[in-house]
Amino acid sequence: MFRNHLKIALRQLGRNKLFSTVNILGLSLGMAVVTLIALYLHNEFNYDRWMDQSELTYRVYRDWDGGGKVIWTPSRLAEKLMADYPEVQVATGLGPSGETLLEYAGQKRYIKETAAVDSTFFRTLALPFRYGDPQTALDQPNGMVISRRLAETIFGDKNPLGEVVRFGGEDDYAITGVIDLGARHSHLDYDLYTRFQWYADSWTGNNRATYARLHPQVDVAGLEERLTAEMTDLMRREFLAMNYEPNAGDFPKWKLQPLDKVHLHSADFSFLAKAGGNIRSIYLFALIGLLVLAVAIVNYVNLATARASQRAKEVGVKKVTGAVRWQLTVQFIVESILQSLFAAAIALLLAELLLPFFNAVVGRDLDVLSAQPAWIVLGVLGLALLTGLLAGVYPAFVMSSYRPVTALRSGFLRSGDKGLFRKVLVTGQFTITIALLIVMGFIYRQVNFMIGHELGFQPDQVMLIPLNFNSSHYRVERLKSEFEQIEGVQSLTTASRFPGQFLPDWGVIVEGRAEGESPYVIFADADYARTLDLQMAKGRFFAPDIAADTIDHWVVNEAFVRKAELEEPLGARLKFSADSVYGQIIGVVKDFHLKGLNSEIRPLVMHGYHQRWYAGLKLSTSDLSATIAAVQQLWKEVEPNHPMRYSFLDDDFAKQYDEQQRLGQTIFYATLLTLFIALLGLFGLTAFNVERRTREIGIRKVLGSSVSGIVRLLSRDFLQLSGLAFLVALPVGYYFADRWLADFAFRTELSWWVFALAGLATVLVGLLTVGLQGVKAALADPIESLRSE
Amino acid sequence: MITLSNLERFYTNASQKTYVLRDLSLKIEEGEFVTIMGPSGAGKSTLLNIIGMLDQPDRGEYHFFDEPVHKLKEKKRQELHKYYMGFVFQAYYLIDELTVYENIETPLLYRKVKRSERQSRIADILDRFQIVAKKDLFPHQLSGGQQQLVGVARAIVGNPKLLLADEPTGNLHSSQGEVIMDLFRQLHRDGMTIVQVTHNEKYAQYGTRVVELEDGFVRQDVAL
């Protein structure tokens, strides 16, 4: 019996090549997308979870009731946890140490992902070692643990334990361990770990992340409460020692985040070392996968029900020869599962082909087959069964219900059903497509809006050179006039930070106020304003020849004036909470965008204190490479042991929109796929209609209908359906676009033409799909089509 | 074998009843070869479908042997249909995707006949109908007469008690038609009960009895 089903199914497939292709192609695209997304989701959900005792491991964070969450904690928290909290097995600190120079055998390379940790780090977090012993790797202060990735770049295949490298241009370290994550993922994916070289003996300064592994069955909430109480007490004492009277807003709650939540549930943390996962994008991807697959399944259902009447004879005959309904239902489901199995095979191939593309979009390094082939194949097989079942069950139900007497009546073949259900499904498909197009349109507009928006400073041709040592800026300043003499260099500044970079916020006190402020802080020299073309609202910027400007003068932005409610900002006096001396505000700079346009312009204070991490050069040149080469040449006198690195401020600033751009891309591809699959279905349905109405078309032509008349006849249905789809998609698209845009402080308006364009584009390509076949049918010789009857 | 008493079958259209069969009573004994005749719309096919349990009367009683068919559940009716009836159609109704062999095999599959027995039964029938050479062809590769031979083979391969044929020769020209009718005569002589619907006076003569319908009544019932 089953063989009989298979035979009929295969022969059906072979006989109806067009419809089989439409079905299988659509399903395989849908399943390829689902496979990729499942791979991505599997990957995202398994971050860190695989680690030994991960369920007992937590990351400490500070929770400012509604004011955000921060992962940075005091230097000595890990030590304290181990000493004073019996619930804690072991704890450790981690701080990213930024891009740092590594030298080995005369070769110099900057390593981007470096971290400093406590000696207990690899005892707390069970990252798997390829070489070395995690228990002891960092027992010596000059031990260094590197990733397998980095080990292979530097040392090739050999075991690098004991090799000595120079790190940061000054100190020698011995390799004591090599980490190999294999195919597993962790938010702790640094290339290089060394021990902390310093500790801040403070409970109010927060500079590292703290991880702790607890004993089993610890009351986490109770631990959090005790920690909060004790930390509040320690902080209060320290504030008072600084002559600062703290208020309730200065004390956060101290909490523990489970390790397996770190990757996906940290989007609302103010700044994170490395995570980049986001539960929202998980939902988005899952939704997209389901939508694309649903559209493909709808194609199958539509074509199958449309063509059901052609199977009526078979159903009738089988029932007359003794088949009962369920046997036929099974037969038709076997047929749909067979098609989805074919589709699954193609889907695997497609997934493998599309993977590099997909990886670029999601920013991951996923692998279809090499990771866990059994899991993937089983998963895809399961998916195929499910898809086949979903696609086949309704048509099977319809077809197997035919009564033999009616099914075998000669008129049945031509009549078919009214197709209301099909119309609803087609409308649904195009609603999804148009709504996706609308949302995509607004994402693109918003990204373009942000990139093209006036920032309040000039980011173009501003070259940024990171300094490896804070002290380097003294040498830069000594060579300032020489730099500025280089052809194409207009000005040079050194500063702690530039717009778009991570900006620290410091506690600042306005003289005479009880409550402190916490604005962003930038330390900069007098040429910062000129280099960035900042505009002054009041007063003046720092001047190179006024000594006090670099000691205790302040420049603030308008947002700070508003926030601190300074009636007369010039002359008002400020100090950092931890300082004792006040200095006066000499200028107010007009607000400029410190961060991407997704955030408001927050209060900023600028100070001349000598903390500088970057040099910035404003260039004005047609021969960029010559200017850069000249700068590079001179830079050897600044940091002779460190090769110069550089980037451009406009690029750096635009990087903040990477996530939005990636989202835009994701939706773009999803839309393209959905549209393509929907069109594929439309193509199939139209082909079927043309086939069914060949005689009618022939008669109409003989009676004198024009080609355009026939095309109109065939497109009328689609026009109505897509019009309806457009109307439904309007509010849906509006809702999602509006919700997405709400995240941005500065946003493009919801212009009507984006909606119109999305609808128009979809209807046009749909019409083209229908129309082309209509033209073909209309041009056919009517005598030919009538003869066959 | 078949006892029909006071059968009625009607359609309701805009509150108006259109009768297809009215107050029809008929008895058919085992071993008969009955021909049902009558003008178009007389209710011939409907009667045949009711006898074949593909359709139900709106009123009246139908006894098949001792089973009161009009009182049976759908499932039981399907069982009776499956094991006792063979059907032959005017338009052959072979399954396009199956070969001659597979088409004939279909009823046996639904009767859960074992593979080896299926093979021998089909081989036997192919032989009897002299279509062994055609067994791997698809229906569209056969002439109409050959297709109808396959249709008859499929109808009787399950050894039904009753063969129902709805204008079996309607689509065939006369020489092919005679082949089919000769086959029917042979089947009848071997003991098969046959009820056929036809317009053809000549083919009616192959049977043992002619029932003539008109407007849903039995107008004439003649034994030959």
Side-chain angles (χ1 to χ4, degrees), chain B residues 28-94:
Chain B
I28 297 173
E29 299 301 334
E30 230 179 325
E32 281 196 278
F33 182 169
V34 179
T35 304
I36 300 171
M37 298 191 75
S40 294
K44 305 183 299 288
S45 294
T46 306
L47 178 58
L48 202 69
N49 286 335
I50 288 176
I51 295 174
M53 298 174 199
L54 297 175
D55 201 357
Q56 277 84 58
D58 293 302
R59 214 167 281 153
E61 295 186 351
Y62 172 12
H63 286 87
F64 186 72
F65 292 107
D66 292 332
E67 298 278 2
V69 178
H70 54 281
K71 284 187 190 156
L72 294 178
K73 291 235 164 68
E74 166 101 16
K75 205 162 177 184
K76 177 74 182 162
R77 263 204 321 268
Q78 279 177 352
E79 287 289 296
L80 284 179
H81 167 84
K82 191 196 293 188
Y83 288 104
Y84 290 101
M85 316 274 171
F87 253 90
V88 177
F89 302 95
Q90 177 177 3
Y92 334 129
Y93 288 149
L94 302 180

Side-chain angles (χ1 to χ4, degrees), chain A residues 542-762:
Chain A
F542 303 127
D545 45 355
I546 300 175
D549 281 4
T550 59
I551 299 168
D552 56 8
H553 282 172
W554 299 82
V555 172
V556 301
N557 70 353
E558 294 168 308
F560 181 82
V561 174
R562 282 194 301 275
K563 173 71 178 45
E565 295 169 350
L566 298 175
E567 267 163 39
E568 184 40 67
L570 296 185
R573 283 155 49 94
L574 301 179
K575 74 174 182 82
F576 288 121
S577 319
D579 280 352
S580 45
V581 190
Y582 285 96
Q584 64 170 329
I585 297 174
I586 57 165
V588 177
V589 67
K590 279 192 182 162
D591 280 343
F592 61 102
H593 285 278
L594 297 161
K595 296 270 175 181
L597 274 75
N598 33 349
S599 29
E600 297 282 355
I601 299 179
R602 284 187 45 189
L604 167 78
V605 298
M606 300 177 77
H607 193 274
Y609 178 72
H610 287 277
Q611 196 191 87
R612 309 291 157 82
W613 298 110
Y614 289 89
L617 292 87
K618 175 73 177 182
L619 308 183
S620 164
T621 175
S622 49
D623 190 356
L624 198 58
S625 57
T627 308
I628 292 173
V631 171
Q632 226 150 7
Q633 189 57 36
L634 188 54
W635 194 261
K636 287 184 178 147
E637 292 180 36
V638 178
E639 292 183 336
N641 285 324
H642 286 73
M644 185 185 94
R645 294 163 285 165
Y646 67 92
S647 59
F648 284 90
L649 181 53
D650 48 356
D651 297 343
D652 290 2
F653 201 83
K655 279 209 184 89
Q656 298 177 94
Y657 307 135
D658 275 2
E659 194 198 325
Q660 281 83 28
Q661 269 173 325
R662 199 174 284 164
L663 180 74
Q665 257 184 5
T666 309
I667 308 249
F668 172 73
Y669 292 124
T671 312
L672 220 60
L673 264 174
T674 317
L675 181 65
F676 179 72
I677 297 175
L679 287 179
L680 207 61
L682 187 64
F683 178 83
L685 273 184
T686 311
F688 170 75
N689 273 331
V690 168
E691 192 183 298
R692 194 171 54 100
R693 295 170 82 169
T694 310
R695 209 169 77 105
E696 180 193 343
I697 292 167
I699 293 171
R700 281 174 187 270
K701 272 199 80 174
V702 170
L703 293 179
S705 167
S706 64
V707 170
S708 68
I710 285 171
V711 172
R712 242 179 291 138
L713 176 79
L714 287 167
S715 342
R716 194 186 301 140
D717 264 2
F718 172 71
L719 265 184
Q720 285 170 355
L721 297 185
S722 59
L724 184 63
F726 179 58
L727 289 183
V728 183
L730 278 183
V732 178
Y734 177 87
Y735 173 77
F736 284 106
D738 190 54
R739 266 194 58 176
W740 184 74
L741 284 175
D743 283 353
F744 294 87
F746 299 85
R747 53 186 169 262
T748 176
E749 73 269 40
L750 285 162
S751 355
W752 63 270
W753 60 264
V754 176
F755 294 94
L757 198 68
L760 206 66
T762 309

